[in-house]
Amino acid sequence: MLPAWFCCEDADILSKNVTEDTDWLKRMGLNAHPVAINRLQCRHSLYRPWGWNLDLRGRLLNACVPANDLPTRKQIITLQELSHRRSSIKIHRFVADAIGTVLSPIPEEVHSVDEVRRFNTAHPQCYIKAPWSGSGKGVYRVLDADSRNFETWTQGIINRQGSIMCEQPLDKVMDFAMEFKCDNGTAEFAGYSVFFNDSHCSYDSNIVAPQLMIEKLITSRFSHPELLADVRTALCNILTSLVAPYYNGYLGIDMMIYRGDDGTLRINPCVEMNLRMTMGMVSAFIADRLLAPNSTATFRVTYHKSSKEMSATIKRLSQTCPLETSGNKIISGFMPLTPTYGDSRFLAGLIATETGITKL
């Protein structure tokens, strides 16, 4: 039910627990409607999934959704090609040309384990990435290029996906993203997000706050807001030509503020492109919909091994971070953002505070 916080009014949300989800939506005061997949037969709708792939298209066709309401196989394959990490190379080069300077080392695509080893010799402890992966998955840091684990992992990615991406290690100061919306052939800036990754480079959480506060948080680390604006304009232009002719919806460009060899702070304008709805956009919608003006929060999705463990987490957070609201806006405290049932394993939650960022 997470889409209930960012979908349009009166939207239908695909559900496995229609009755329970209906009750939960009413309690939350959300104007959305759960629908079972067997109720989609011959039903014309505008379908907006988290992201498109061929498997999802097949599932909807099997549910007798009209094919004319779905992207074609060719269109989805085009989106898959655009989602390849080599798109970040095009974006880096376009931004460099637009602003007149290379902001950070440009990734390289290679096709053999030996090429990866040569790259790592030139740039020790480099990062290698699977061409298709998301949320930090498919990322490997080369600490020992002679190990069996390195060779097995690298060759496996090349065998399955045809190549592998190599990136120089950077002295990261902050992860952030620019969010965009593609509509009618044009990409427009939709907002900033600041997020955290865990020790495995996988997504961990997002800061939830008004956009002005998020922008200030970024520019407080990077003292060249005019350069940030130039990068934003360049990204709108490249996404309008590269992506918008083939895609309608939200997307995110993950970026990084890093410290160069001379100690100055710089921008990596494209760590990766996420051609789908993003946690950053979810956080922006939640901030507008739920958060009191002077509060900030952390949004996070956590996995639990059992419903008992999840219930214990909800109870602990509800006791240690009691919810305080004013006029239907959260001032502080913990709030689960999705219902939980006996088979639930993932919990989307928000912890708000007036004094700073608190992690779940």
Side-chain angles (χ1 to χ4, degrees):
M1 287 293 104
L2 188 62
W5 298 106
F6 59 82
C7 66
C8 59
E9 290 291 307
D10 286 324
D12 292 332
I13 302 175
L14 200 60
S15 168
K16 294 181 179 179
N17 305 283
V18 172
T19 300
E20 296 90 338
D21 286 339
T22 299
D23 293 341
W24 180 82
L25 288 165
K26 287 180 180 178
R27 292 197 303 272
M28 294 293 105
L30 294 168
N31 193 18
H33 313 285
V35 59
I37 194 167
N38 62 2
R39 297 291 184 179
L40 300 181
Q41 297 177 13
C42 304
R43 180 174 173 174
H44 289 286
S45 296
L46 178 63
Y47 289 87
R48 292 294 192 201
W50 187 264
W52 282 108
N53 58 47
L54 291 174
D55 177 69
L56 174 59
R57 182 179 186 274
R59 287 167 55 201
L60 292 174
L61 288 174
N62 288 339
C64 297
V65 169
N68 289 342
D69 289 349
L70 305 175
T72 64
R73 285 182 58 87
K74 183 179 179 180
Q75 287 172 322
I76 291 178
I77 290 170
T78 297
L79 296 182
Q80 288 178 338
E81 287 301 314
L82 288 171
S83 296
H84 193 291
R85 288 187 190 270
R86 71 166 66 98
S87 289
S88 67
I89 298 175
K90 295 180 182 178
I91 293 170
H92 270 269
R93 289 174 175 164
F94 185 94
V95 172
D97 288 343
I99 66 174
T101 185
V102 177
L103 295 176
S104 65
I106 299 175
E108 293 184 24
E109 183 179 11
V110 303
H111 300 84
S112 71
V113 175
D114 286 341
E115 287 179 279
V116 175
R117 287 197 173 103
R118 284 195 290 271
F119 186 93
N120 187 63
T121 298
H123 309 288
Q125 299 189 17
C126 71
Y127 286 91
I128 54 177
K129 299 180 178 181
W132 286 285
S133 65
S135 301
K137 302 294 191 296
V139 178
Y140 186 105
R141 189 165 195 185
V142 184
L143 300 178
D144 181 3
D146 295 320
S147 72
R148 177 62 62 85
N149 184 57
F150 157 78
E151 184 166 348
T152 300
W153 192 90
T154 304
Q155 191 63 60
I157 294 296
I158 293 171
N159 289 346
R160 291 190 298 274
Q161 300 192 15
S163 64
I164 201 162
M165 306 300 296
C166 296
E167 297 183 11
Q168 297 182 32
L170 301 175
D171 183 8
K172 182 173 68 176
V173 174
M174 172 187 280
D175 286 310
F176 73 103
M178 291 188 188
E179 313 292 344
F180 299 86
K181 185 178 182 180
C182 293
D183 189 31
N184 293 322
T186 301
E188 295 185 350
F189 178 70
Y192 292 102
S193 74
V194 172
F195 62 93
F196 303 98
N197 287 330
D198 62 21
S199 59
H200 302 289
C201 300
S202 296
Y203 172 80
D204 180 80
S205 56
N206 257 90
I207 292 177
V208 180
Q211 274 295 303
L212 282 177
M213 192 179 296
I214 295 287
E215 186 173 3
K216 279 186 178 180
L217 185 60
I218 296 168
T219 55
S220 69
R221 298 291 185 94
F222 185 73
S223 58
H224 302 286
E226 68 285 350
L227 179 58
L228 198 67
D230 290 343
V231 170
R232 185 177 66 222
T233 299
L235 288 174
C236 282
N237 290 335
I238 179 62
L239 293 174
T240 292
S241 61
L242 181 68
V243 176
Y246 313 101
Y247 175 72
N248 285 325
Y250 290 101
L251 66 93
I253 302 291
D254 287 352
M255 307 171 75
M256 182 196 301
I257 297 173
Y258 71 99
R259 187 171 284 103
D261 293 338
D262 60 358
T264 60
L265 295 183
R266 305 178 181 183
I267 293 179
N268 180 333
C270 183
V271 176
E272 67 180 31
M273 176 174 69
N274 295 304
L275 196 53
R276 52 170 172 73
M277 175 59 79
T278 68
M279 291 301 194
M281 278 310 309
V282 173
S283 299
F285 281 112
I286 290 172
D288 288 341
R289 190 161 196 165
L290 288 178
L291 212 57
N294 296 320
S295 295
T296 59
T298 300
F299 166 74
R300 191 181 185 197
V301 178
T302 54
Y303 172 75
H304 302 267
K305 295 180 180 178
S306 66
S307 58
K308 182 178 179 180
E309 181 183 282
M310 183 182 295
S311 297
T313 298
I314 294 173
K315 182 178 180 180
R316 172 179 59 81
L317 290 172
S318 298
Q319 291 174 344
T320 57
C321 306
L323 188 64
E324 180 183 357
T325 62
S326 175
N328 295 322
K329 297 287 187 177
I330 298 174
I331 297 173
S332 63
F334 166 71
M335 179 176 173
L337 297 172
T338 49
T340 55
Y341 307 118
D343 60 348
S344 297
R345 295 295 179 266
F346 291 93
L347 171 66
L350 190 74
I351 287 186
T353 175
E354 289 187 288
T355 57
I357 302 299
T358 301
K359 281 198 171 187
L360 275 70

